[in-house]
Amino acid sequence: MLRLPSHNQRFHLLLRNLSSFASKTTIFMTSKHFLPSPLLPQTLSPKHFSTPTKRLLPSLSSKPIPKNHSFSLRTNGFCSLPSPSVSSPSPDLEDQPSDTRSLQILNHKLKQLGIDITECVAGRENRLKCPSCNGGESGELSLSLFISLDGYSASWLCFRAKCGWKGYTKAAADGKPSIENLGRVNKVKVTRQITVESLQLEPLCNQLTAYFAERMISSETLKRNAIMQKRSGDEIAIAFTYWRNGELVNCKYRDIVKRFWQEKDTEKILYGLDDIEDASDIIIVEGEMDKLAMEEAGFRNCVSVPDGAPPSVSKKEVPAEEQDTKYQYLWNCKEYFKKASRIILATDGDLPGQALAEELARRLGRERCWRVKWPKKNDVDHFKDANEVLMYLGPSVLKDVIDNAELYPIRGLFNFSSFFDEIDQYYHRTLGYEFGVSTGWRALDDLYNVVPGELTIVTGVPNSGKSEWIDALLCNLNEGVGWKFALCSMENKVRDHARKLLEKSIKKPFFGVGYGSNVERMSVEELEKGKKWLSDTFQLIRCENDSLPSIQWVLELARAAVLRHGVQGLVIDPYNELDHQRPVSQTETEYVSQMLTKIKRFAQHHSCHVWFVAHPRQLHHWIGAPPNLYDISGSAHFINKCDNGIVIHRNRDPDAGPVDLVQVCVRKVRNKVVGNIGDAFLSYDRVTGVYNDIDESQKK
């Protein structure tokens, strides 16, 4: 159980804590990530230094802790964060003294989270293995746990950048511990002044120089960047010195197992900061070794971040400068970026590295950022970072990677070069449907072809056959190229719409009476086959209650139909059956423009052709001629914004010609590759609802 000091012991313990606080000078880090800790494990004896070797040697911190120190730690062995179970402390705790009872309740709550405090000391920082990340690959003691002297509360924080688990709980709180913002940990920070002498740094030994040589880093580069070493007893660590204006600001250490730690209470800055003073081009990498690798390729205008990469991009807005603690090193160096016109983000190629690049771009400005593409290692993998490229491919390839850096993408801003592959496919006609899909009627082949991702407005006076013609078109497209469709047809009952589609597909009447009394009716077998065809080809978008559907509601369901069923066409029939509520300050013209923009974006994004049926306004003094697209009720935007505009017109005067003659007036075609303005004539079979081509003599 946690050792709770008496009142006198607490007083002396506080004095010792204040004294020891100043003596703790080092900070542990996992690989490229911030991780404070008071000690490093002793892993090697002096015999490891008796024979020269090219392998990097491990190290201790600058202030090793004796084995008999009262600061006793024990790892808890958790590899992942367990789900807290809802249970209560045992009833006998009520009979315990107040301090002991609260401490036992606190212990009980922390155990639910996988935090074992049996060997922790109240009133000071305790180091444990984090149950959330298990200390990373190296199993470090990355969890900082502080328990108040009275045992009533505990706060914790994992200093691994890829974890960052933190929380705060009280013994008096009900239920499971609450995760809160830690304002008590490292609240007041005093910046230390350090020098090479005060840190007892020394030049690199032959073993470490050989280690860098294996990674293709020369002695000249090591000397220019003041790479040093630090001894602690018989152990040694690499020291990466952080300078600004010639003064030592921070120092970061690395041991043989690639564990990193920094000097405590020092200012966070970029590594190699003096190399980018007044630079117009700046390269940012993820680690000190990558910075040295860049210099071997001829780039000195390079800096490295001190704390590695985050696991993912934050979903929150970039915080204010004083609150942006994770990236405070950028704000501390902001003056160095004022003259930079190009910032090349050469972070690691893994997901955390990409997340780091995005976080840097958010703060430095995407408009002046560039990014690199690391070369392929094989058919599947890419090289991870600059030092790996230097080691395996050499400095010339690394230089080419930087020289060929690409503009960092800005959402909504593109260059034609990003679409060259698609342009080539379009030219060689390998995309499919470059000239559109034939409607199935020869008379329309030169006028109107269906292109995925376009919007076609269809209009005509009432009872001219707009919906019938679209249904016939869908049947032709399904028969010709196998397209599937989503139907939002508010004017048709489902059974009536099914009858019309089946008659056009089977080319026989649904009923054998009335309009179909003189023709053979479709058989039961044909009906069953037709029902399967309906199920495979069409999805219905219908409002199941009395409310009117909005265009947003229709498009959301159409998107689901595209993703789930692979539909390539959407029919919205008609416009006046939708809910068109709009703000009082918005005119109908503005509303129609906004609505059509939404439909076009849906069509383009999902490569889905949309047919939108809109009725013309009431025509005064109509003499039987086809209406114009500008006659559509609501707004001229119907013709202005559509890709194709079609008017369906049927002859009603027997003296003017056959009453089964249907005129398809193509009044707008935006893409000249797939059509042209003109008229086509089809004959309509009233029994089956089928539209057929007619020859020129019939047309006359």
Side-chain angles (χ1 to χ4, degrees):
M1 178 55 65
L2 179 73
R3 302 189 298 277
L4 187 68
S6 65
H7 292 289
N8 290 334
Q9 289 173 326
R10 293 173 189 166
F11 176 77
H12 293 293
L13 181 58
L14 283 173
L15 292 179
R16 290 201 305 272
N17 286 346
L18 290 173
S19 175
S20 64
F21 175 79
S23 67
K24 296 178 181 179
T25 59
T26 59
I27 300 176
F28 282 119
M29 297 187 71
T30 58
S31 177
K32 300 183 181 180
H33 298 281
F34 183 75
L35 177 58
S37 178
L39 66 146
L40 270 174
Q42 300 185 21
T43 56
L44 292 183
S45 61
K47 66 180 181 180
H48 289 85
F49 290 87
S50 59
T51 304
T53 176
K54 292 184 178 181
R55 295 181 61 83
L56 178 64
L57 303 178
S59 74
L60 285 172
S61 67
S62 60
K63 297 289 183 180
I65 306 297
K67 292 183 178 179
N68 59 356
H69 196 281
S70 62
F71 192 164
S72 177
L73 302 176
R74 190 177 75 178
T75 58
N76 53 33
F78 282 85
C79 60
S80 63
L81 180 62
S83 300
S85 58
V86 180
S87 59
S88 303
S90 58
D92 60 354
L93 292 180
E94 300 299 328
D95 299 329
Q96 301 292 332
S98 177
D99 282 358
T100 304
R101 183 171 67 253
S102 63
L103 189 57
Q104 290 183 356
I105 295 174
L106 190 66
N107 179 41
H108 173 80
K109 290 185 175 183
L110 292 175
K111 278 187 175 181
Q112 295 183 48
L113 293 175
I115 301 177
D116 185 357
I117 64 171
T118 53
E119 294 188 9
C120 295
V121 177
R124 64 169 62 178
E125 182 192 36
N126 299 275
R127 301 310 304 273
L128 305 171
K129 185 183 290 186
C130 175
S132 178
C133 65
N134 205 32
E137 295 179 358
S138 57
E140 302 210 30
L141 305 180
S142 58
L143 188 71
S144 173
L145 174 69
F146 180 83
I147 300 174
S148 62
L149 282 173
D150 55 16
Y152 274 98
S153 64
S155 56
W156 61 91
L157 173 64
C158 178
F159 285 99
R160 291 189 70 247
K162 291 186 178 181
C163 177
W165 182 51
K166 58 186 177 182
Y168 173 72
T169 188
K170 294 180 179 180
D174 295 328
K176 54 189 177 182
S178 59
I179 306 301
E180 299 178 356
N181 187 21
L182 266 183
R184 306 184 181 187
V185 179
N186 296 331
K187 187 173 182 180
V188 179
K189 188 171 183 179
V190 179
T191 302
R192 291 171 52 219
Q193 301 297 319
I194 58 175
T195 63
V196 172
E197 292 75 17
S198 66
L199 300 181
Q200 299 179 346
L201 303 181
E202 56 188 41
L204 291 175
C205 63
N206 293 335
Q207 291 93 333
L208 294 183
T209 302
Y211 167 78
F212 281 103
E214 289 178 356
R215 304 186 72 87
M216 305 298 293
I217 307 299
S218 65
S219 300
E220 291 75 14
T221 299
L222 297 175
K223 291 179 182 178
R224 201 194 72 82
N225 288 274
I227 309 298
M228 308 185 79
Q229 68 182 35
K230 182 166 185 174
R231 294 182 182 273
S232 181
D234 294 328
E235 299 184 352
I236 195 170
I238 299 172
F240 296 101
T241 51
Y242 283 62
W243 302 82
R244 181 174 56 198
N245 297 326
E247 295 183 359
L248 185 61
V249 176
N250 192 6
C251 190
K252 183 175 174 181
Y253 304 98
R254 169 177 171 158
D255 66 8
I256 189 153
V257 294
K258 205 178 179 181
R259 283 195 299 191
F260 292 79
W261 67 100
Q262 297 184 33
E263 288 292 335
K264 190 175 182 181
D265 297 332
T266 54
E267 185 181 1
K268 288 293 185 68
I269 63 172
L270 293 162
Y271 178 69
L273 188 60
D274 286 346
D275 287 339
I276 63 169
E277 188 174 7
D278 297 327
S280 59
D281 286 9
I282 296 174
I283 303 170
I284 301 180
V285 294
E286 194 173 323
E288 292 82 3
M289 294 296 290
D290 297 328
K291 149 71 175 170
L292 302 178
M294 286 294 179
E295 185 160 330
E296 294 295 336
F299 300 104
R300 289 189 177 181
N301 56 325
C302 178
V303 290
S304 168
V305 300
D307 291 343
S312 60
V313 179
S314 173
K315 296 181 180 179
K316 301 178 180 179
E317 294 292 328
V318 175
E321 176 179 343
E322 61 276 4
Q323 298 174 339
D324 197 12
T325 55
K326 170 62 181 171
Y327 300 93
Q328 196 61 45
Y329 56 83
L330 278 181
W331 301 107
N332 293 340
C333 305
K334 62 182 179 182
E335 295 295 327
Y336 287 78
F337 289 94
K338 284 188 175 180
K339 295 183 180 180
S341 58
R342 190 169 77 135
I343 302 172
I344 301 175
L345 306 178
T347 55
D348 290 2
D350 55 12
L351 292 178
Q354 295 173 25
L356 174 61
E358 175 63 17
E359 293 290 2
L360 294 175
R362 293 172 71 190
R363 289 160 174 82
L364 297 171
R366 290 182 176 87
E367 68 280 358
R368 57 174 179 167
C369 287
W370 298 58
R371 65 178 180 180
V372 301
K373 280 189 175 180
W374 298 116
K376 278 193 171 184
K377 185 182 297 184
N378 49 50
D379 293 338
V380 179
D381 301 319
H382 288 74
F383 287 98
K384 180 175 177 287
D385 54 31
N387 189 236
E388 197 171 59
V389 172
L390 176 67
M391 290 174 62
Y392 291 98
L393 301 180
S396 61
V397 175
L398 180 55
K399 184 178 185 301
D400 290 340
V401 170
I402 300 301
D403 291 340
N404 295 319
E406 302 175 345
L407 288 166
Y408 197 86
I410 299 176
R411 187 174 183 179
L413 181 63
F414 302 95
N415 185 275
F416 267 114
S417 61
S418 303
F419 301 90
F420 281 169
D421 290 341
E422 183 179 347
I423 294 172
D424 289 340
Q425 291 174 333
Y426 187 41
Y427 176 81
H428 296 290
R429 297 185 62 184
T430 57
L431 288 171
Y433 311 134
E434 287 84 3
F435 292 169
V437 179
S438 173
T439 62
W441 296 299
R442 297 187 308 274
L444 278 169
D445 283 346
D446 294 333
L447 302 178
Y448 175 66
N449 290 275
V450 181
V451 178
E454 289 190 349
L455 168 63
T456 296
I457 298 294
V458 180
T459 190
V461 297
N463 202 30
S464 60
K466 300 181 293 296
S467 301
E468 287 273 0
W469 180 81
I470 291 178
D471 285 346
L473 174 60
L474 302 187
C475 292
N476 289 350
L477 292 174
N478 175 258
E479 182 179 356
V481 292
W483 277 21
K484 299 179 180 180
F485 307 94
L487 305 178
C488 181
S489 181
M490 282 79 72
E491 287 185 332
N492 281 313
K493 294 180 179 179
V494 173
R495 65 188 184 190
D496 288 334
H497 204 173
R499 172 182 58 79
K500 295 175 183 179
L501 291 169
L502 288 171
E503 288 177 340
K504 291 174 175 60
S505 175
I506 300 173
K507 296 178 175 57
K508 291 183 180 180
F510 191 83
F511 295 113
V513 296
Y515 72 95
S517 58
N518 297 325
V519 182
E520 180 186 1
R521 181 189 184 189
M522 68 179 67
S523 65
V524 174
E525 291 77 11
E526 290 172 327
L527 174 62
E528 293 301 320
K529 183 178 179 181
K531 285 160 59 179
K532 184 179 186 307
W533 171 75
L534 287 175
S535 179
D536 293 340
T537 306
F538 301 99
Q539 303 297 323
L540 304 179
I541 298 175
R542 301 187 68 84
C543 199
E544 297 179 351
N545 50 37
D546 294 334
S547 62
L548 292 176
S550 67
I551 190 63
Q552 188 64 37
W553 179 83
V554 172
L555 294 180
E556 287 176 358
L557 290 177
R559 176 180 179 273
V562 170
L563 299 178
R564 176 174 290 186
H565 303 289
V567 305
Q568 290 123 320
L570 167 66
V571 177
I572 304 175
D573 180 15
Y575 162 75
N576 60 354
E577 289 288 339
L578 295 173
D579 181 12
H580 299 300
Q581 292 186 23
R582 63 181 188 272
V584 177
S585 60
Q586 187 180 42
T587 66
E588 184 177 13
T589 298
E590 293 170 339
Y591 167 77
V592 171
S593 175
Q594 187 180 77
M595 176 192 65
L596 293 175
T597 297
K598 289 181 180 179
I599 296 174
K600 290 191 66 175
R601 286 180 178 174
F602 164 82
Q604 293 170 359
H605 182 73
H606 296 286
S607 192
C608 178
H609 195 102
V610 179
W611 292 272
F612 196 4
V613 178
H615 295 308
R617 63 178 178 270
Q618 185 175 359
L619 300 176
H620 299 285
H621 310 295
W622 181 58
I623 59 175
N628 194 287
L629 288 176
Y630 283 108
D631 293 327
I632 297 176
S633 175
S635 170
H637 282 304
F638 280 107
I639 185 173
N640 296 337
K641 289 208 165 188
C642 69
D643 296 296
N644 309 284
I646 294 177
V647 178
I648 303 298
H649 186 65
R650 182 171 61 86
N651 178 38
R652 290 171 171 77
D653 184 4
D655 296 334
V659 292
D660 63 349
L661 188 66
V662 175
Q663 184 178 357
V664 181
C665 310
V666 180
R667 292 293 176 255
K668 179 181 179 180
V669 176
R670 189 185 300 277
N671 185 358
K672 66 181 182 180
V673 174
V674 298
N676 200 1
I677 294 175
D679 292 351
F681 293 87
L682 303 172
S683 67
Y684 173 66
D685 185 348
R686 185 172 180 272
V687 175
T688 62
V690 174
Y691 289 77
N692 295 303
D693 280 300
I694 56 177
D695 57 33
E696 291 297 322
S697 61
Q698 288 177 299
K699 195 182 303 181
K700 293 178 182 179

